Amino acid sequence: MRFRRWHRPEPYRDTSRKRAAFHRKQRLEREALPLFADQIAAGQHGVEEEMARRVVWWDELERDRRRERAAWWRRARARLFSFPDDLRKTIRKVWRTCPYPADPASFADFLHQIAVGRLDPHRPPWVFHAATQARITPDPSRFDAAFRQIGHRKIGGGPKATEADEFLFCGNLGSGLIFLRSRVRLIERHESFYTSSGHRLRDSKVGSGGHYVEIEVTGDCPDADLATIERLAQAADTRSVVVSRVARPLRARTGASHERPSRSARLQWRPAARRPRIRPAGPLPRLPPLDAAARGPGARLRGVPARPFPPPRQAPDRLLRPRAARQQQDSRLFGDGGEFQLPQLRAGAAKAGTQGARLRHHLGRQPRRLERTGGRDS
């Protein structure tokens, strides 16, 4: 049983705020009748006497309130046990979850509403009871009575064409909720959806082939309901109507844009057989390890003999010949003397092109240097 406990009895508390409130009360009484202020003050008692009187009065008040509250609980419980056993169990169960305060007055009013029929304990008003019956049209006479339009968008079109309409409907013929997607298709495959700006695709023929209405059904729809949908759609439109089932689309996920196959497609699908592995009949042969002599900088694989690195290539003689020739020529021309051989050097340098010009520039200062050094080149 849900109930709220009563506070423990406590003695009266004498505070300065209570004394100030008592003095203010007496002052207001005197100011209310200023001509009789003296007579009113004579009839007023002191604050100490008032505090002593309140101590006695407080204990009596607490006792009376507790007695009255207990009497209310006894009367409410007596009324509770007057109900049948099954209904009493239901009432106690509903009382534990109801939003009413857990005091005897609210509990007594709760029982009174049940007794007079204003409150149904089996369907309390503070609990939401949603209707479980779906909106079903088992035998509709019109397409609009069975399906309700929930979507509309424009598709197709071009610089010289008008966009076509695509409608989305939903309804329930008794087998479950189904969705219909209505689109306009061309009968002739080689025709184009592009028409002149003065024509509407759904109100006029496209070329010589014309067009029809295609309805895609998503959801659990048996053959009988499929035939009913085609009959109602054909009665509502003058064009040819083709109705077909499609797979239910999968919920959008992060990075996923595929559709979920239908249940029949999932049952018919089988995983592809794996290609068997080609394994040798016996263990693979192991190559012999290399010995210490065979290991070298060229041995990269086990079992492959090491090949030494080739020796470093020597510089060809033609690269060293010009310098050696110059050194030999200098030693032959200058020798130990030096000054008597200058005319021969000038004559040989004149026959030597660019190198001769450089040699003449070098030998132009040679006599002075030889004179300073006494005929010895430093």
Side-chain angles (χ1 to χ4, degrees):
M1 195 68 182
R2 185 172 63 94
F3 67 96
R4 182 171 58 87
R5 292 183 178 275
W6 188 254
H7 61 272
R8 292 180 176 275
E10 297 178 357
Y12 183 78
R13 296 182 180 180
D14 186 0
T15 61
S16 59
R17 296 182 61 183
K18 294 179 180 180
R19 290 176 176 267
F22 179 72
H23 287 297
R24 184 171 60 256
K25 170 179 172 298
Q26 290 183 344
R27 178 176 55 80
L28 293 177
E29 290 178 354
R30 294 191 301 268
E31 292 177 356
L33 300 173
L35 298 178
F36 302 95
D38 298 338
Q39 290 82 354
I40 294 174
Q44 294 176 348
H45 53 275
V47 63
E48 298 295 340
E49 182 181 356
E50 178 64 22
M51 293 296 111
R53 187 189 66 84
R54 289 186 182 183
V55 170
V56 179
W57 165 79
W58 179 261
D59 293 340
E60 295 177 357
L61 179 63
E62 287 288 318
R63 192 181 305 111
D64 295 342
R65 293 176 63 181
R66 288 174 60 88
R67 188 184 301 111
E68 183 181 3
R69 187 181 180 87
W72 281 356
W73 275 118
R74 294 191 189 97
R75 289 193 298 268
R77 290 178 63 86
R79 191 166 189 175
L80 173 64
F81 280 92
S82 63
F83 292 99
D85 295 343
D86 298 339
L87 183 57
R88 183 170 66 250
K89 293 180 181 179
T90 304
I91 292 174
R92 296 182 63 178
K93 183 179 180 180
V94 173
W95 172 253
R96 295 191 188 98
T97 59
C98 71
Y100 298 159
D103 53 34
S106 299
F107 183 62
D109 183 69
F110 172 73
L111 297 178
H112 175 71
Q113 293 183 15
I114 294 177
V116 299
R118 185 176 295 180
L119 191 149
D120 186 6
H122 300 284
R123 294 178 62 87
W126 54 84
V127 178
F128 176 72
H129 302 278
T132 58
Q133 184 177 1
R135 180 185 175 184
I136 301 175
T137 52
D139 190 12
S141 58
R142 295 180 298 104
F143 186 85
D144 297 341
F147 300 96
R148 180 169 57 92
Q149 180 181 341
I150 59 175
H152 175 215
R153 67 169 182 171
K154 297 286 187 177
I155 59 175
K160 295 183 179 180
T162 305
E163 298 176 340
D165 295 323
E166 178 182 294
F167 299 96
L168 184 63
F169 303 89
C170 70
N172 190 347
L173 299 179
S175 301
L177 185 64
I178 56 178
F179 296 91
L180 309 181
R181 188 182 301 275
S182 172
R183 297 178 181 177
V184 178
R185 299 293 186 183
L186 294 173
I187 297 177
E188 182 63 31
R189 295 183 178 180
H190 300 287
E191 291 288 341
S192 174
F193 274 101
Y194 294 96
T195 59
S196 61
S197 58
H199 291 76
R200 300 285 294 180
L201 185 60
R202 62 174 185 272
D203 296 336
S204 62
K205 295 183 179 180
V206 180
S208 60
H211 56 279
Y212 66 96
V213 178
E214 180 185 21
I215 299 179
E216 298 178 351
V217 182
T218 305
D220 299 333
C221 182
D223 296 339
D225 293 348
L226 201 66
T228 302
I229 295 172
E230 186 174 1
R231 176 177 56 83
L232 296 176
Q234 188 63 59
D237 202 326
T238 58
R239 298 165 294 186
S240 300
V241 178
V242 177
V243 182
S244 60
R245 297 188 184 92
V246 295
R248 186 186 300 272
L250 187 64
R251 290 184 179 180
R253 297 181 180 176
T254 304
S257 60
H258 56 275
E259 294 185 354
R260 180 183 180 184
S262 60
R263 185 174 181 272
S264 59
R266 294 199 305 270
L267 294 177
Q268 296 176 3
W269 179 82
R270 294 292 185 274
R274 294 184 178 180
R275 181 179 298 178
R277 293 184 178 180
I278 301 177
R279 297 184 178 181
L284 295 176
R286 298 184 62 181
L287 298 176
L290 296 174
D291 52 356
R295 293 181 183 274
R300 299 182 180 180
L301 301 177
R302 293 179 58 88
V304 180
R307 186 177 60 181
F309 288 114
R313 299 180 61 181
Q314 301 292 338
D317 296 341
R318 59 183 178 82
L319 298 178
L320 304 177
R321 190 177 304 162
R323 184 175 182 180
R326 287 196 302 270
Q327 293 177 357
Q328 184 178 4
Q329 185 180 7
D330 293 343
S331 61
R332 184 176 65 254
L333 293 178
F334 288 99
D336 297 334
E339 190 169 341
F340 64 93
Q341 297 177 359
L342 289 177
Q344 300 178 8
L345 290 176
R346 292 194 180 99
K351 300 178 181 180
T354 305
Q355 295 183 359
R358 295 178 181 176
L359 188 59
R360 287 196 305 272
H361 176 73
H362 173 72
L363 297 178
R365 299 174 296 178
Q366 191 67 19
R368 296 181 181 180
R369 186 172 61 181
L370 293 179
E371 292 175 359
R372 294 193 206 99
T373 57
R376 295 186 300 274
D377 191 4
S378 54

